[in-house]
Amino acid sequence: MIQTKKNRGTLFTTLMLVVCVVLFSSFKTNPKPPVSEPIKLGFIPLTDCSPIVMAKELGLFKKYGVEVVVTKETSWANVRDKILTGELDGAHCLYTMPFSVYTGVGGKAGSEMKIAMMLNVNGQAITLSNDFCGKVGFKQMNKVTPIVAAKLKAEKEVTFAMTFPGGTHDLWLRNWMSLAGLNQKAVKIITIPPPQMVANMKVGNMDGYCVGEPWGGVAVKQGIGFTQIASQDIWKDHPEKALVVNKEFSEKRREDLKKVMKAILEACIWLDNPANRKKAAAIIGKAPYVNAPADVIEGRLMGDYNLGCNQGTEVYDKDYMLFYKGGTVNYPRKSYAIWAMAQFVRFGYLKEEPNYKVIADKLIMQDLYEEVAKSMKIKIPTDDMKPFSLTMDKTVFNPSNPSAYLKVVKH
């Protein structure tokens, strides 16, 4: 067949029209996928925000294909509100906060905040002002109540601070009082954001406080207080902070949440290598993060505690702040949630026992964690829901029967 110039032109035009139609149809039926919104994670200036901060600094979020913005928050109440409204997709958070909020202790009852994974164990402390120096020493629990009684008689009021009602620091403080035989109703307990603890003690607003590092170590460095006990002395390897997320985010962006968890888990593994802790201390000590002396952060990250008040140094070998420990740290246990809610009843926050199991099942994303851990070949612990006791308080807690525990534990 002989093609003329006219025929070739017509054929070219027809082909171009066909190509345009195909491309247009393809554009309409296969639009370019939208770019995912950045994920917003909050943190409070505490040493145990390290997994989130270091996941960002080490480029691990990018490695797993998510864009994450980390923001410094002012208080735990601020973190709570932003997670609930969705202003934050998630945050470094007190592991007990979701249960405190849901039961109405520390927020509007029924409000759901989800626990995706745990971030660390240990690393909090009870700090006393210098008024107690020389009168009660490190772990001298039997001397606390007589000294407080004498101070109450002389000054009429003794004040202790924690960081959030029903939060971990609140529970360690109240357990400390119980172990010391101190009636919590005899003293005043106030709520102060973690980074404001040292300044408030400096001006005499409290006699002691419970908070996470580095604010116990900073009080020692500034000479305004001393460490009476570390939280790991009360309960070795106790659960502390968690990755807590917005409910809608956990449902609508589940795959992105899994990527976030993988990055944080890798950061936890990196942090548990002692060789990396000096570098971590230098980074998180900077102003955008914790804004505290790197030497104080590093010392207590390494388990080297200058106690203050001429008490010398306490060295923690295997029970300082840990972030991974072969995966045993990161598994979100329902038994620990039930223990926390039992404390709310024990210390008078709740008049009646809540439906422990239903709440734990609702707020802990255990299946999601197991999926992520298996994909990373991280061992999943098998101790959940088994009875346990604290290091100092030997009362056995059976998560399947909290009522029995409440009948015998000291208040």
Side-chain angles (χ1 to χ4, degrees), residues 46-58:
L46 289 162
T47 301
D48 50 30
C49 74
S50 295
I52 287 176
V53 170
M54 293 312 302
K56 178 72 172 179
E57 288 283 339
L58 295 170

Side-chain angles (χ1 to χ4, degrees), residues 41-42 78 90 93 107 119 124 148 152 166-167 171 183 205 223 259 264 296 299-300 309 326 337 361 363 380 382 394:
L41 298 181
N78 184 242
C93 196
L119 298 177
Q124 324 299 298
V148 170
L152 277 168
L171 299 188
N183 182 355
N205 287 343
K259 294 173 184 176
I264 292 174
V296 175
R300 297 209 168 186
C309 186
D361 288 345
L363 301 183
I380 295 169
T382 58
K394 300 300 183 182

Side-chain angles (χ1 to χ4, degrees), residues 279-343:
K279 180 179 179 180
I283 291 172
I284 69 169
K286 293 177 181 178
Y289 299 127
V290 179
N291 193 23
D295 63 327
V296 175
I297 297 173
E298 182 187 343
R300 297 209 168 186
L301 259 181
M302 298 301 291
D304 189 2
Y305 281 49
N306 174 7
L307 300 173
C309 186
N310 301 312
Q311 295 184 110
T313 299
E314 180 75 6
V315 178
Y316 292 91
D317 181 14
K318 296 178 181 178
D319 52 355
Y320 51 167
M321 189 179 289
L322 297 170
F323 300 94
Y324 180 63
K325 200 177 180 181
T328 60
V329 169
N330 311 106
Y331 188 57
R333 292 168 178 81
K334 293 179 181 180
S335 54
Y336 291 166
I338 295 169
W339 179 87
M341 288 184 277
Q343 304 307 301

